[in-house]
Amino acid sequence: MSTVAEEIPPQVPSLPAWPAAPEPVDETGTSFLVLAVGSHPETARVAGEWVAHAEALAPTTLGTLDAIDAAEDRVTFEALLGRARTGVRVMVVGGQYDVLQTLSLLRRRGALEAELRAFVTDDREIPVYCAHCQTTFRAATAPGGEATCPACERRLEVHEHLAVLLGSFLASDAEATTL
Amino acid sequence: MTLQQTPRPDLHQRADEYVGHQHPAYALGRRPLRVTGLTRLTDRILHVELADPEGRPLAGYQPGSHVVVDAGEGRRNAYSLTGDGVNPRRYGISVLRLDDGSGGSAWLHDHLTLGGDLDVEGPRSMFPAVHDQQHALLVAGGVGVTPILSHARAIARAGGSATVLYSYRPGHEAHLDDLRALCSDRIHLVEATTVEETGTALAALLASQPFGTHAYACGPAPMLDAYERAAAVAGWPVGRVHLERFVAPELDPGDPFTATVASTGLAVEVPSGVSLLDGLLAAGVPVNYLCKQGVCGECRLPVRTATALEHRDFVLTAEEKAAAAHIMACVSRGRDVEIDL
């Protein structure tokens, strides 16, 4: 087995910078949608604090989802967003996988950064995007680590590159330079 | 193995007039177009249709674009195009006669004839649609209906959805029939004929738009101010609130300051009451300009350094103003401004 020598240009990481503590509610909003995803105890606590603050300002809706991928939860998400009016501020709390995928859905529906708040309770899992078969999957790894694509079964290297709109980290064949 | 990329040969920007072997619709430079239609929409608004004299296709454009037309005696005026911009065979503009203006609109009303030629430059896009809008709230006041009609037509063509608010004085409702003709289950029109009705409709509509809506407004300054205030009250982030002004408010004369041209070191003293643009032109520094009201964006200049910049234009975004890298020479001022020319 030999390895092809290749000069790889220096990588410029693009990684999410999560706030250390939940950001305060944006008081310029005229309604609020709090999305709590997953069962982490911190998720319920942060969502509760946001709801308590937001309710005092304007009409507030709390959506609790088990996982953003679950079909039932996706229906709930779409219904909540369908009822939302421009002027709303959307606040998402949960594990890193669910938060990134939820933000992705929101951004694809035209959400502006000024309308979004996010807090990550744990970074144990991340969304990984397989560059080869274009599958996005949940993996207990981190940028710089490895994961196996469930669709094409390639061993993937997860790059320090978050595609914000896709809400996932780019990954490519970890053994691609091995002949 | 080292991968080397062949550097791309420099792509020189082609002269606007030069189209060469490209499709004729690439022509955007100043060129004569034939007047193929003149329709009086109201006693003061004339709709002008323009086509290529040879019958060739015209350049397509983003909704909300405008053209710059020769308006006699060296004047050049900008007018919004009213079409959807897709593969146009004709350009349509609607000219409001302003007898207290610089005389350009009156000249167009008095001198345009069917079959005659009119020099046209553009189209240029200064008021485009946001590509991922989920819905559009379109707000028109008076002759500001022209770019709004363009947006509505483009949305109708693309199968999108929009809510249109048209505020007009009865008897001066240019293009109302065009907007009514666009109405469908996806395009709704709300009409308002008084300031109060307009204000009430603005507040109600801004409070009820679906998530992901972008709003676009064009009209007189008081209506645009009311629109911006109502949008802020309704909680809309500024990134969703777009507008195009055709008349800028009066500005105070400002303090005198010095502008330096970076390449030559030429220092230009700009007195109070004189614009940076006029100061530079008087000193022989060529600067393109058009509206001289901080609206059109033509005189945008790069700034290398400045002790202070006082942005008074309606072109730069809040972020661009904060970045202090550009100045609109016709209205904005500053202190010790080094222009990167």
Side-chain angles (χ1 to χ4, degrees):
Chain A
M1 188 183 278
S2 66
T3 302
V4 178
E6 186 179 1
E7 273 186 29
I8 298 171
Q11 304 291 298
V12 181
S14 113
L15 295 170
W18 300 117
E23 291 175 289
V25 171
D26 176 2
E27 299 191 351
T28 61
T30 45
S31 63
F32 297 94
L33 173 58
V34 177
L35 295 171
V37 195
S39 55
H40 197 287
E42 186 72 354
T43 299
R45 189 188 66 76
V46 171
E49 282 180 12
W50 271 342
V51 168
H53 186 181
E55 270 180 339
L57 300 166
T60 301
T61 308
L62 171 65
T64 50
L65 311 173
D66 291 333
I68 192 62
D69 297 336
E72 266 178 43
D73 287 332
R74 189 62 73 82
V75 172
T76 308
F77 172 83
E78 292 296 336
L80 289 170
L81 211 57
R83 285 201 292 273
R85 302 288 96 180
T86 297
V88 72
R89 299 294 182 273
V90 186
M91 295 173 282
V92 186
V93 57
Q96 183 164 226
Y97 176 89
D98 289 305
V99 167
L100 280 173
Q101 286 292 291
T102 306
L103 290 177
S104 165
L105 292 172
L106 288 163
R107 288 181 174 124
R108 287 194 230 187
R109 295 281 291 268
L112 303 182
E113 294 313 300
E115 294 167 323
L116 301 175
R117 288 271 193 278
F119 186 70
V120 164
T121 54
D122 70 276
D123 58 2
R124 205 175 60 78
E125 293 176 321
I126 56 168
V128 174
Y129 175 80
C130 174
H132 307 282
C133 72
Q134 301 179 6
T135 301
T136 299
F137 60 96
R138 186 190 287 265
T141 183
E146 293 194 351
T148 300
C149 176
C152 69
E153 299 182 345
R154 280 184 177 85
R155 190 65 186 160
L156 300 174
E157 175 189 356
V158 183
H159 301 283
E160 291 183 320
H161 179 84
L162 173 70
V164 171
L165 203 58
L166 294 176
S168 54
F169 289 88
L170 176 68
S172 62
D173 195 331
E175 288 148 17
T177 55
T178 305
L179 295 177
Chain B
M1 183 177 73
T2 305
L3 292 175
Q4 277 201 326
Q5 266 197 326
T6 314
R8 207 167 159 207
D10 278 345
L11 296 174
H12 294 287
Q13 193 174 357
R14 101 196 114 73
D16 262 353
E17 297 76 13
Y18 178 71
V19 180
H21 65 275
Q22 297 182 101
H23 192 274
Y26 278 81
L28 295 174
R30 202 162 162 179
R31 68 232 185 253
L33 294 183
R34 182 84 19 99
V35 177
T36 57
L38 288 173
T39 314
R40 203 155 281 283
L41 300 180
T42 72
D43 58 346
R44 287 173 60 214
I45 298 178
L46 178 69
H47 185 70
V48 184
E49 275 195 349
L50 301 158
D52 185 276
E54 315 284 323
R56 290 174 302 197
L58 298 169
Y61 54 90
Q62 293 287 314
S65 293
H66 64 267
V67 287
V68 180
V69 305
D70 279 24
E73 297 154 22
R75 289 172 298 229
R76 302 183 71 217
N77 287 7
Y79 292 102
S80 294
L81 293 164
T82 55
D84 62 26
V86 179
N87 197 20
R89 306 296 299 196
R90 292 199 182 350
Y91 288 157
I93 58 173
S94 296
V95 180
L96 171 68
R97 184 180 188 122
L98 290 171
D99 286 318
D100 54 354
S102 67
S105 60
W107 186 91
L108 289 167
H109 272 248
D110 295 340
H111 287 80
L112 289 184
T113 51
L114 269 180
D117 282 351
L118 178 64
D119 269 5
V120 173
E121 185 177 339
R124 299 170 176 188
S125 174
M126 291 285 292
F127 187 44
V130 173
H131 73 94
D132 65 348
Q133 66 186 11
Q134 309 292 303
H135 181 79
L137 175 61
L138 305 172
V139 181
V143 77
V145 69
T146 50
I148 294 304
L149 176 61
S150 172
H151 278 279
R153 283 177 164 159
I155 289 167
R157 187 185 187 107
S161 64
T163 305
V164 186
L165 170 61
Y166 185 14
S167 170
Y168 59 84
R169 283 183 300 138
H172 301 270
E173 59 272 38
H175 293 297
L176 179 59
D177 49 346
D178 294 320
L179 283 174
R180 284 181 178 162
L182 285 174
C183 287
S184 68
D185 56 340
R186 299 179 68 79
I187 309 242
H188 298 278
L189 175 64
V190 178
E191 297 173 32
T193 55
T194 64
V195 172
E196 292 73 29
E197 270 180 31
T198 307
T200 308
L202 268 176
L205 291 172
L206 284 162
S208 59
Q209 298 305 304
F211 185 71
T213 302
H214 281 264
Y216 307 84
C218 185
M223 192 201 81
L224 294 180
D225 293 341
Y227 158 79
E228 285 190 299
R229 280 197 305 272
V233 167
W236 287 50
V238 290
R240 294 201 178 282
V241 185
H242 315 277
L243 56 83
E244 182 165 75
R245 292 176 190 268
F246 44 76
V247 189
E250 288 290 311
L251 294 170
D252 65 65
D255 295 327
F257 66 102
T258 309
T260 313
V261 179
S263 60
T264 59
L266 174 71
V268 179
E269 298 298 330
V270 183
S272 175
V274 174
S275 70
L276 171 60
L277 172 68
D278 287 337
L280 289 170
L281 292 174
V285 181
V287 179
N288 291 334
Y289 65 92
L290 209 55
C291 73
K292 291 181 124 180
Q293 296 188 94
V295 176
C296 78
E298 183 76 11
C299 65
R300 179 181 182 134
L301 294 178
V303 172
R304 187 172 288 181
T305 58
T307 310
L309 286 183
E310 185 194 352
H311 293 288
R312 309 202 288 185
D313 62 273
F314 298 100
V315 177
L316 298 177
T317 63
E319 291 81 14
E320 288 173 323
K321 287 176 180 172
H326 290 93
I327 187 169
M328 293 298 160
C330 67
V331 289
S332 297
R333 310 179 71 84
R335 257 188 301 133
D336 304 323
V337 183
E338 189 182 11
I339 307 289
D340 203 356
L341 283 179

